[in-house]
Amino acid sequence: MQVVKLSLKEANKIPIEADEVNPDNFAGKTEEEIKAIKVWYGNDQYHLGDFFNVKVEGSDSVENTKIVFEGDVSRVKRIGQNMSAGEIEINGNVDMHCGFGMKGGKIVINGDADNWLGCEMTGGEIILNGNASYYVGSGYRGESCGMRGGKITINGNAKDYLGEHMCGGEILVKGSVGLLPAISNNGGKIIIEGNATMPASEMKSGMVIIKGETFDLLPSFKEEGTEEFGGVTYRKFTGDVNVGGKGILLIK
Amino acid sequence: MSEILIKNANVCDPAQGINCETMDICIKDGKIVESVSANAKVIDAKGRLTMAGGFDGHTHSAGKINVGRFINPNDARKNLVPGLSGQVARTEKTRAQVGYNTPNTYAIGYRYAKLGYTTICEAAIPLLAARHTHEEFKEIPILDKMGLSLFGSNWQVMEYIRDKEPEKLAAYIAWGLRASRGYGIKIVNPGGGEAWGWGKNVSGLYDPVPNFDVTPAEILLGLAEVNERLNLPHSVHVHCNNLGKPGNYETTIETMKLFEKVKPSRNRQALHVTHVQFNAYAGTSWRDFETGAPMVADYVNGADHLTFDLGQIIFGPAVTMTADGPVEYANARMLHEKWSNQDIELEDASGVVPLFYSPKNFVNSVQWAIGLELALLVKDPWKVMFTTDSPNGGSFVNYPEAFTYLMSAKRREEVISGFSKTALDRMVLPGIDRELDFYELAVMTRSTQSRMYSRPEKGNLKPGSDADIAIYDILPEQIDPSTEYEKVKKAFSGAAYTLKDGEIVVKDGEIEATPKGKIYWVNAKVPSTIDSAMQKDIDVKFRKYYTVSKANYMVEDMYLQRPVEITTEGVF
């Protein structure tokens, strides 16, 4: 097991683009090597060691590498981008694009996450023990596929456009979500235990289950009896008929 | 006074009938000359293939492409042709580059230059949006540029044709070219753009345009007559009716036949039909869709009044952009894709839809084959211009890939082996073994363009021509393009040298210098009495309908970088 502990020397105002901070780049490296990893800060490149105290315990393969952020990193973006294995634990809030394009492994965030959490991820797991912002598990601007695999669990609430253009994988929100969750979905499964507004517009396929209250259900969904999910009976809708969609929307 | 001597160049220059012969090329002050002094800078071509700078006669590189950029922000990160796409940080010589199908303006200039291209013709300038097109031209480095102005669904044009006022029509076209600083007449789905304003389309050459009582055939012939009356350097440039519809090859041939009676006023074709691949479909629906290329090629082989370009498709993502509004609506609906639609007031329609050509899709496979069939079945390469209608059929950065399809039957077989049986039954390409040589390729990528656009100083290496030259890392005597197509592709993907006006702009596939290119535009002279009578009519249009005033409509001199004004005398 290799554990790498990172703590910010001082809180930064200008965001740090930490797209190289993932177990794939840390595994088997010494403290000095990790400190020398380059990150963007504003329009210049610096070394990770310029901003973070780095402590390394042990040395191991990617699967057995764990990165721990001690404290708030709410101005550090793209943590865990493209990671394929291993684990990241963030003990505080995190900035945008955490887990972007993640292929495997696990990210646990003990705080809130900013926009684009788990955007375009294809595998692995993200557990957020706080609230998420906009565009969880969505696609890059203009892409027709966002999240394709893996699982995101949000133990708090999420804002608008959850799972936009999602094509696979699963998102579970224990709290409520904002406007237009599952917009333009093309696969995958979204379970919202709280409330949602205008869900699943332009959905082509996939499944959305809303256990709380649904506000402003779109008129472009067809009601087709009931369906049981997890021992509870829901009203079943299919759509969005505007796009010839065959997605399934289960609501109370 | 700068002089360059290119030694040991293996020159392929169809305009002079030179087929891969080793010789020297002399350059003085940006022009090719007979000889230079002993002080000339020497470039040793070491027997490598040398051609005139490439000339893309039909590309969407300024104007509408910007809408493509808006609706495809994800294109910025696409890097399907490394070295010629994706995100490239700025260097001391180049600005930052992004994109693949819809790259930023700088990338368009750099990448064309890397392919050895030095001149491009923007295929569609709406008069109303011409200022924007020229603003983009300004920011496309290195290349010489020209653009074709859209007239095919223009109210004033249709009214003059209906009212049988050819002189006023000529005055209007001359004014329109001046207003947009255009080079020639582009006609897109004649009448269809206006019909689209009413949610309709025209179904063929003799289907009248709503509210104007003219037919597409009348529009085509009316504009052709004016084109020749004004002595314009290019013929009318036609995107036929019924584009993208199974069975449309008949409309295409009908359109070509219509022009048999048009007498060109210059030594060039009477008609250029563009991206014929999209207009050479047989069958009655997408189910029995098949190639119509043999029929079109047959007709073209027997005709000598026209040229055409391919509109070859490239597998992968593309962005369609055209003034053919109804086609884009159909695309967006059929493919469930993003759709941008614009109404160009009194002038035309416009649409943009991104799409993906897949070799697994039988329609796409057949489309791919049709482009190549047209190129290979038409015997005379001087009738053919190579294009992908970039980025409609695919980005221009794929030209080297497409050249290998034309030059190697083996390479074609490789691609075809992935097609479904249904696709193979609908094409004739597998039975074609013709392979182009470098000479024929040079005709399709340079020489035809020079003749087609009446630009004798372009697309050839005659003394007096512009010193726009591409040297590729190929030894023509030692390579067999039929089997060594990977080498061919690599060489065409990054020229060993590209010279623009005698300046080295690319060396070993990297940008060396980024001079500003010229803008060609046509100023056709019309008697002032006819012009002022016509102005009264368009003043009414501006007063009653346009959202801009005439004074804010014209492209003024300040928009043009290094303008080259081509004046012609009309016959009245």
Side-chain angles (χ1 to χ4, degrees), chain B residues 317-345:
Chain B
V319 185
T320 60
M321 46 188 70
T322 169
D324 200 338
V327 159
E328 292 295 33
Y329 175 71
N331 276 345
R333 275 298 154 118
M334 186 167 68
L335 304 166
H336 301 292
E337 262 299 354
K338 288 182 273 195
W339 173 47
S340 157
N341 180 54
Q342 272 182 297
D343 175 39
I344 317 291
E345 304 192 8

PDB file of all heavy atoms in Angstrom, chain B residues 317-345:
ATOM      1  N   PRO B 317     -16.348  11.869 -37.730  1.00  0.00           N
ATOM      2  CA  PRO B 317     -17.236  13.014 -37.556  1.00  0.00           C
ATOM      3  C   PRO B 317     -17.041  14.052 -38.650  1.00  0.00           C
ATOM      4  O   PRO B 317     -15.925  14.255 -39.125  1.00  0.00           O
ATOM      5  CB  PRO B 317     -16.826  13.574 -36.199  1.00  0.00           C
ATOM      6  CG  PRO B 317     -15.428  13.113 -35.988  1.00  0.00           C
ATOM      7  CD  PRO B 317     -15.281  11.813 -36.719  1.00  0.00           C
ATOM      8  N   ALA B 318     -18.133  14.670 -39.059  1.00  0.00           N
ATOM      9  CA  ALA B 318     -18.091  15.757 -40.032  1.00  0.00           C
ATOM     10  C   ALA B 318     -19.115  16.786 -39.587  1.00  0.00           C
ATOM     11  O   ALA B 318     -19.919  16.532 -38.691  1.00  0.00           O
ATOM     12  CB  ALA B 318     -18.412  15.242 -41.427  1.00  0.00           C
ATOM     13  N   VAL B 319     -19.059  17.950 -40.194  1.00  0.00           N
ATOM     14  CA  VAL B 319     -20.086  18.957 -39.919  1.00  0.00           C
ATOM     15  C   VAL B 319     -20.624  19.434 -41.256  1.00  0.00           C
ATOM     16  O   VAL B 319     -19.885  19.969 -42.074  1.00  0.00           O
ATOM     17  CB  VAL B 319     -19.515  20.162 -39.142  1.00  0.00           C
ATOM     18  CG1 VAL B 319     -20.636  21.115 -38.782  1.00  0.00           C
ATOM     19  CG2 VAL B 319     -18.800  19.707 -37.888  1.00  0.00           C
ATOM     20  N   THR B 320     -21.918  19.187 -41.485  1.00  0.00           N
ATOM     21  CA  THR B 320     -22.485  19.669 -42.735  1.00  0.00           C
ATOM     22  C   THR B 320     -22.895  21.118 -42.542  1.00  0.00           C
ATOM     23  O   THR B 320     -23.433  21.492 -41.504  1.00  0.00           O
ATOM     24  CB  THR B 320     -23.700  18.833 -43.167  1.00  0.00           C
ATOM     25  OG1 THR B 320     -24.696  18.909 -42.148  1.00  0.00           O
ATOM     26  CG2 THR B 320     -23.312  17.376 -43.354  1.00  0.00           C
ATOM     27  N   MET B 321     -22.612  21.931 -43.559  1.00  0.00           N
ATOM     28  CA  MET B 321     -23.013  23.338 -43.502  1.00  0.00           C
ATOM     29  C   MET B 321     -23.304  23.783 -44.924  1.00  0.00           C
ATOM     30  O   MET B 321     -22.495  23.609 -45.818  1.00  0.00           O
ATOM     31  CB  MET B 321     -21.922  24.193 -42.856  1.00  0.00           C
ATOM     32  CG  MET B 321     -20.529  23.948 -43.346  1.00  0.00           C
ATOM     33  SD  MET B 321     -19.314  24.845 -42.365  1.00  0.00           S
ATOM     34  CE  MET B 321     -19.379  23.973 -40.810  1.00  0.00           C
ATOM     35  N   THR B 322     -24.501  24.260 -45.124  1.00  0.00           N
ATOM     36  CA  THR B 322     -24.904  24.616 -46.472  1.00  0.00           C
ATOM     37  C   THR B 322     -26.006  25.658 -46.445  1.00  0.00           C
ATOM     38  O   THR B 322     -26.694  25.822 -45.443  1.00  0.00           O
ATOM     39  CB  THR B 322     -25.389  23.355 -47.232  1.00  0.00           C
ATOM     40  OG1 THR B 322     -26.019  23.757 -48.439  1.00  0.00           O
ATOM     41  CG2 THR B 322     -26.362  22.552 -46.415  1.00  0.00           C
ATOM     42  N   ALA B 323     -26.153  26.336 -47.573  1.00  0.00           N
ATOM     43  CA  ALA B 323     -27.268  27.258 -47.719  1.00  0.00           C
ATOM     44  C   ALA B 323     -28.549  26.488 -48.035  1.00  0.00           C
ATOM     45  O   ALA B 323     -29.618  27.081 -48.146  1.00  0.00           O
ATOM     46  CB  ALA B 323     -26.973  28.258 -48.831  1.00  0.00           C
ATOM     47  N   ASP B 324     -28.418  25.167 -48.209  1.00  0.00           N
ATOM     48  CA  ASP B 324     -29.579  24.330 -48.511  1.00  0.00           C
ATOM     49  C   ASP B 324     -30.323  24.025 -47.206  1.00  0.00           C
ATOM     50  O   ASP B 324     -30.143  22.968 -46.603  1.00  0.00           O
ATOM     51  CB  ASP B 324     -29.087  23.049 -49.190  1.00  0.00           C
ATOM     52  CG  ASP B 324     -30.194  22.346 -49.964  1.00  0.00           C
ATOM     53  OD1 ASP B 324     -31.375  22.591 -49.639  1.00  0.00           O
ATOM     54  OD2 ASP B 324     -29.879  21.582 -50.876  1.00  0.00           O
ATOM     55  N   GLY B 325     -31.147  24.968 -46.767  1.00  0.00           N
ATOM     56  CA  GLY B 325     -31.851  24.852 -45.491  1.00  0.00           C
ATOM     57  C   GLY B 325     -32.668  23.583 -45.342  1.00  0.00           C
ATOM     58  O   GLY B 325     -32.562  22.880 -44.340  1.00  0.00           O
ATOM     59  N   PRO B 326     -33.512  23.245 -46.341  1.00  0.00           N
ATOM     60  CA  PRO B 326     -34.354  22.055 -46.178  1.00  0.00           C
ATOM     61  C   PRO B 326     -33.554  20.764 -46.016  1.00  0.00           C
ATOM     62  O   PRO B 326     -33.991  19.857 -45.292  1.00  0.00           O
ATOM     63  CB  PRO B 326     -35.207  22.025 -47.451  1.00  0.00           C
ATOM     64  CG  PRO B 326     -34.643  23.041 -48.376  1.00  0.00           C
ATOM     65  CD  PRO B 326     -33.868  24.009 -47.547  1.00  0.00           C
ATOM     66  N   VAL B 327     -32.405  20.664 -46.667  1.00  0.00           N
ATOM     67  CA  VAL B 327     -31.584  19.460 -46.522  1.00  0.00           C
ATOM     68  C   VAL B 327     -31.102  19.305 -45.087  1.00  0.00           C
ATOM     69  O   VAL B 327     -31.117  18.219 -44.512  1.00  0.00           O
ATOM     70  CB  VAL B 327     -30.368  19.520 -47.476  1.00  0.00           C
ATOM     71  CG1 VAL B 327     -29.251  18.603 -47.016  1.00  0.00           C
ATOM     72  CG2 VAL B 327     -30.787  19.137 -48.875  1.00  0.00           C
ATOM     73  N   GLU B 328     -30.708  20.426 -44.493  1.00  0.00           N
ATOM     74  CA  GLU B 328     -30.202  20.349 -43.130  1.00  0.00           C
ATOM     75  C   GLU B 328     -31.306  19.993 -42.142  1.00  0.00           C
ATOM     76  O   GLU B 328     -31.064  19.292 -41.168  1.00  0.00           O
ATOM     77  CB  GLU B 328     -29.517  21.670 -42.730  1.00  0.00           C
ATOM     78  CG  GLU B 328     -28.225  21.935 -43.478  1.00  0.00           C
ATOM     79  CD  GLU B 328     -27.119  20.923 -43.180  1.00  0.00           C
ATOM     80  OE1 GLU B 328     -27.419  19.739 -42.940  1.00  0.00           O
ATOM     81  OE2 GLU B 328     -25.950  21.326 -43.202  1.00  0.00           O
ATOM     82  N   TYR B 329     -32.515  20.470 -42.422  1.00  0.00           N
ATOM     83  CA  TYR B 329     -33.633  20.090 -41.571  1.00  0.00           C
ATOM     84  C   TYR B 329     -33.846  18.581 -41.650  1.00  0.00           C
ATOM     85  O   TYR B 329     -33.993  17.900 -40.629  1.00  0.00           O
ATOM     86  CB  TYR B 329     -34.905  20.833 -41.997  1.00  0.00           C
ATOM     87  CG  TYR B 329     -36.135  20.398 -41.240  1.00  0.00           C
ATOM     88  CD1 TYR B 329     -36.289  20.738 -39.897  1.00  0.00           C
ATOM     89  CD2 TYR B 329     -37.120  19.624 -41.847  1.00  0.00           C
ATOM     90  CE1 TYR B 329     -37.393  20.321 -39.185  1.00  0.00           C
ATOM     91  CE2 TYR B 329     -38.226  19.207 -41.138  1.00  0.00           C
ATOM     92  CZ  TYR B 329     -38.371  19.558 -39.810  1.00  0.00           C
ATOM     93  OH  TYR B 329     -39.457  19.142 -39.107  1.00  0.00           O
ATOM     94  N   ALA B 330     -33.813  18.051 -42.888  1.00  0.00           N
ATOM     95  CA  ALA B 330     -34.000  16.610 -43.072  1.00  0.00           C
ATOM     96  C   ALA B 330     -32.887  15.830 -42.366  1.00  0.00           C
ATOM     97  O   ALA B 330     -33.147  14.831 -41.694  1.00  0.00           O
ATOM     98  CB  ALA B 330     -34.012  16.274 -44.570  1.00  0.00           C
ATOM     99  N   ASN B 331     -31.648  16.287 -42.499  1.00  0.00           N
ATOM    100  CA  ASN B 331     -30.525  15.640 -41.814  1.00  0.00           C
ATOM    101  C   ASN B 331     -30.746  15.590 -40.314  1.00  0.00           C
ATOM    102  O   ASN B 331     -30.585  14.548 -39.685  1.00  0.00           O
ATOM    103  CB  ASN B 331     -29.225  16.434 -42.056  1.00  0.00           C
ATOM    104  CG  ASN B 331     -28.568  16.060 -43.364  1.00  0.00           C
ATOM    105  OD1 ASN B 331     -28.900  15.031 -43.960  1.00  0.00           O
ATOM    106  ND2 ASN B 331     -27.641  16.878 -43.816  1.00  0.00           N
ATOM    107  N   ALA B 332     -31.095  16.750 -39.758  1.00  0.00           N
ATOM    108  CA  ALA B 332     -31.229  16.842 -38.305  1.00  0.00           C
ATOM    109  C   ALA B 332     -32.323  15.912 -37.804  1.00  0.00           C
ATOM    110  O   ALA B 332     -32.188  15.250 -36.780  1.00  0.00           O
ATOM    111  CB  ALA B 332     -31.526  18.287 -37.898  1.00  0.00           C
ATOM    112  N   ARG B 333     -33.423  15.845 -38.571  1.00  0.00           N
ATOM    113  CA  ARG B 333     -34.534  14.995 -38.156  1.00  0.00           C
ATOM    114  C   ARG B 333     -34.177  13.518 -38.275  1.00  0.00           C
ATOM    115  O   ARG B 333     -34.449  12.717 -37.403  1.00  0.00           O
ATOM    116  CB  ARG B 333     -35.776  15.310 -39.010  1.00  0.00           C
ATOM    117  CG  ARG B 333     -36.557  16.480 -38.461  1.00  0.00           C
ATOM    118  CD  ARG B 333     -37.040  16.092 -37.095  1.00  0.00           C
ATOM    119  NE  ARG B 333     -37.262  17.243 -36.239  1.00  0.00           N
ATOM    120  CZ  ARG B 333     -38.444  17.551 -35.745  1.00  0.00           C
ATOM    121  NH1 ARG B 333     -39.515  16.866 -36.068  1.00  0.00           N
ATOM    122  NH2 ARG B 333     -38.559  18.565 -34.930  1.00  0.00           N
ATOM    123  N   MET B 334     -33.550  13.171 -39.402  1.00  0.00           N
ATOM    124  CA  MET B 334     -33.251  11.768 -39.642  1.00  0.00           C
ATOM    125  C   MET B 334     -32.204  11.260 -38.649  1.00  0.00           C
ATOM    126  O   MET B 334     -32.284  10.145 -38.168  1.00  0.00           O
ATOM    127  CB  MET B 334     -32.735  11.613 -41.074  1.00  0.00           C
ATOM    128  CG  MET B 334     -32.526  10.186 -41.499  1.00  0.00           C
ATOM    129  SD  MET B 334     -32.301  10.083 -43.281  1.00  0.00           S
ATOM    130  CE  MET B 334     -30.732  10.886 -43.489  1.00  0.00           C
ATOM    131  N   LEU B 335     -31.224  12.085 -38.348  1.00  0.00           N
ATOM    132  CA  LEU B 335     -30.103  11.632 -37.529  1.00  0.00           C
ATOM    133  C   LEU B 335     -30.252  12.013 -36.058  1.00  0.00           C
ATOM    134  O   LEU B 335     -29.392  11.714 -35.253  1.00  0.00           O
ATOM    135  CB  LEU B 335     -28.796  12.218 -38.078  1.00  0.00           C
ATOM    136  CG  LEU B 335     -28.521  11.906 -39.555  1.00  0.00           C
ATOM    137  CD1 LEU B 335     -27.423  12.796 -40.088  1.00  0.00           C
ATOM    138  CD2 LEU B 335     -28.156  10.443 -39.727  1.00  0.00           C
ATOM    139  N   HIS B 336     -31.357  12.681 -35.701  1.00  0.00           N
ATOM    140  CA  HIS B 336     -31.547  13.181 -34.334  1.00  0.00           C
ATOM    141  C   HIS B 336     -30.337  13.980 -33.895  1.00  0.00           C
ATOM    142  O   HIS B 336     -29.763  13.749 -32.845  1.00  0.00           O
ATOM    143  CB  HIS B 336     -31.793  12.028 -33.355  1.00  0.00           C
ATOM    144  CG  HIS B 336     -32.991  11.212 -33.706  1.00  0.00           C
ATOM    145  ND1 HIS B 336     -34.270  11.700 -33.620  1.00  0.00           N
ATOM    146  CD2 HIS B 336     -33.098   9.950 -34.172  1.00  0.00           C
ATOM    147  CE1 HIS B 336     -35.119  10.776 -34.026  1.00  0.00           C
ATOM    148  NE2 HIS B 336     -34.437   9.705 -34.361  1.00  0.00           N
ATOM    149  N   GLU B 337     -29.931  14.894 -34.743  1.00  0.00           N
ATOM    150  CA  GLU B 337     -28.723  15.657 -34.453  1.00  0.00           C
ATOM    151  C   GLU B 337     -29.054  17.111 -34.139  1.00  0.00           C
ATOM    152  O   GLU B 337     -30.156  17.574 -34.368  1.00  0.00           O
ATOM    153  CB  GLU B 337     -27.766  15.596 -35.648  1.00  0.00           C
ATOM    154  CG  GLU B 337     -26.668  14.551 -35.514  1.00  0.00           C
ATOM    155  CD  GLU B 337     -25.747  14.796 -34.315  1.00  0.00           C
ATOM    156  OE1 GLU B 337     -25.867  15.835 -33.642  1.00  0.00           O
ATOM    157  OE2 GLU B 337     -24.906  13.917 -34.050  1.00  0.00           O
ATOM    158  N   LYS B 338     -28.039  17.792 -33.664  1.00  0.00           N
ATOM    159  CA  LYS B 338     -28.162  19.227 -33.424  1.00  0.00           C
ATOM    160  C   LYS B 338     -28.387  19.934 -34.761  1.00  0.00           C
ATOM    161  O   LYS B 338     -27.875  19.500 -35.782  1.00  0.00           O
ATOM    162  CB  LYS B 338     -26.862  19.752 -32.811  1.00  0.00           C
ATOM    163  CG  LYS B 338     -26.667  19.319 -31.403  1.00  0.00           C
ATOM    164  CD  LYS B 338     -25.404  19.905 -30.833  1.00  0.00           C
ATOM    165  CE  LYS B 338     -24.214  19.043 -31.125  1.00  0.00           C
ATOM    166  NZ  LYS B 338     -23.045  19.377 -30.325  1.00  0.00           N
ATOM    167  N   TRP B 339     -29.116  21.017 -34.713  1.00  0.00           N
ATOM    168  CA  TRP B 339     -29.482  21.679 -35.963  1.00  0.00           C
ATOM    169  C   TRP B 339     -29.441  23.185 -35.786  1.00  0.00           C
ATOM    170  O   TRP B 339     -30.018  23.714 -34.845  1.00  0.00           O
ATOM    171  CB  TRP B 339     -30.906  21.238 -36.347  1.00  0.00           C
ATOM    172  CG  TRP B 339     -31.520  21.928 -37.507  1.00  0.00           C
ATOM    173  CD1 TRP B 339     -30.958  22.161 -38.710  1.00  0.00           C
ATOM    174  CD2 TRP B 339     -32.853  22.458 -37.581  1.00  0.00           C
ATOM    175  NE1 TRP B 339     -31.859  22.782 -39.542  1.00  0.00           N
ATOM    176  CE2 TRP B 339     -33.018  22.985 -38.876  1.00  0.00           C
ATOM    177  CE3 TRP B 339     -33.915  22.527 -36.678  1.00  0.00           C
ATOM    178  CZ2 TRP B 339     -34.209  23.572 -39.291  1.00  0.00           C
ATOM    179  CZ3 TRP B 339     -35.101  23.119 -37.088  1.00  0.00           C
ATOM    180  CH2 TRP B 339     -35.239  23.630 -38.390  1.00  0.00           C
ATOM    181  N   SER B 340     -28.739  23.853 -36.674  1.00  0.00           N
ATOM    182  CA  SER B 340     -28.802  25.308 -36.693  1.00  0.00           C
ATOM    183  C   SER B 340     -29.434  25.716 -38.014  1.00  0.00           C
ATOM    184  O   SER B 340     -29.094  25.180 -39.065  1.00  0.00           O
ATOM    185  CB  SER B 340     -27.404  25.908 -36.580  1.00  0.00           C
ATOM    186  OG  SER B 340     -27.416  27.210 -37.112  1.00  0.00           O
ATOM    187  N   ASN B 341     -30.348  26.639 -37.963  1.00  0.00           N
ATOM    188  CA  ASN B 341     -31.086  27.057 -39.150  1.00  0.00           C
ATOM    189  C   ASN B 341     -31.099  28.567 -39.196  1.00  0.00           C
ATOM    190  O   ASN B 341     -31.345  29.216 -38.185  1.00  0.00           O
ATOM    191  CB  ASN B 341     -32.516  26.517 -39.032  1.00  0.00           C
ATOM    192  CG  ASN B 341     -33.379  26.892 -40.197  1.00  0.00           C
ATOM    193  OD1 ASN B 341     -33.019  26.632 -41.333  1.00  0.00           O
ATOM    194  ND2 ASN B 341     -34.524  27.486 -39.909  1.00  0.00           N
ATOM    195  N   GLN B 342     -30.780  29.134 -40.352  1.00  0.00           N
ATOM    196  CA  GLN B 342     -30.801  30.596 -40.435  1.00  0.00           C
ATOM    197  C   GLN B 342     -31.539  31.051 -41.675  1.00  0.00           C
ATOM    198  O   GLN B 342     -31.473  30.401 -42.721  1.00  0.00           O
ATOM    199  CB  GLN B 342     -29.372  31.134 -40.469  1.00  0.00           C
ATOM    200  CG  GLN B 342     -28.811  31.369 -39.087  1.00  0.00           C
ATOM    201  CD  GLN B 342     -27.419  31.940 -39.163  1.00  0.00           C
ATOM    202  OE1 GLN B 342     -26.505  31.291 -39.670  1.00  0.00           O
ATOM    203  NE2 GLN B 342     -27.246  33.142 -38.685  1.00  0.00           N
ATOM    204  N   ASP B 343     -32.211  32.168 -41.522  1.00  0.00           N
ATOM    205  CA  ASP B 343     -32.871  32.782 -42.658  1.00  0.00           C
ATOM    206  C   ASP B 343     -32.037  33.991 -43.047  1.00  0.00           C
ATOM    207  O   ASP B 343     -31.847  34.905 -42.236  1.00  0.00           O
ATOM    208  CB  ASP B 343     -34.285  33.208 -42.244  1.00  0.00           C
ATOM    209  CG  ASP B 343     -34.981  33.953 -43.353  1.00  0.00           C
ATOM    210  OD1 ASP B 343     -34.804  33.557 -44.513  1.00  0.00           O
ATOM    211  OD2 ASP B 343     -35.688  34.928 -43.056  1.00  0.00           O
ATOM    212  N   ILE B 344     -31.519  33.987 -44.285  1.00  0.00           N
ATOM    213  CA  ILE B 344     -30.691  35.123 -44.695  1.00  0.00           C
ATOM    214  C   ILE B 344     -31.589  36.135 -45.408  1.00  0.00           C
ATOM    215  O   ILE B 344     -31.378  36.462 -46.578  1.00  0.00           O
ATOM    216  CB  ILE B 344     -29.524  34.662 -45.606  1.00  0.00           C
ATOM    217  CG1 ILE B 344     -28.872  33.384 -45.092  1.00  0.00           C
ATOM    218  CG2 ILE B 344     -28.480  35.773 -45.747  1.00  0.00           C
ATOM    219  CD1 ILE B 344     -28.097  33.506 -43.806  1.00  0.00           C
ATOM    220  N   GLU B 345     -32.590  36.576 -44.704  1.00  0.00           N
ATOM    221  CA  GLU B 345     -33.518  37.604 -45.188  1.00  0.00           C
ATOM    222  C   GLU B 345     -33.962  37.388 -46.636  1.00  0.00           C
ATOM    223  O   GLU B 345     -34.595  36.386 -46.918  1.00  0.00           O
ATOM    224  CB  GLU B 345     -32.888  38.987 -44.952  1.00  0.00           C
ATOM    225  CG  GLU B 345     -32.548  39.131 -43.472  1.00  0.00           C
ATOM    226  CD  GLU B 345     -32.202  40.517 -43.035  1.00  0.00           C
ATOM    227  OE1 GLU B 345     -32.341  41.465 -43.806  1.00  0.00           O
ATOM    228  OE2 GLU B 345     -31.814  40.665 -41.853  1.00  0.00           O
TER     229      GLU B 345
END
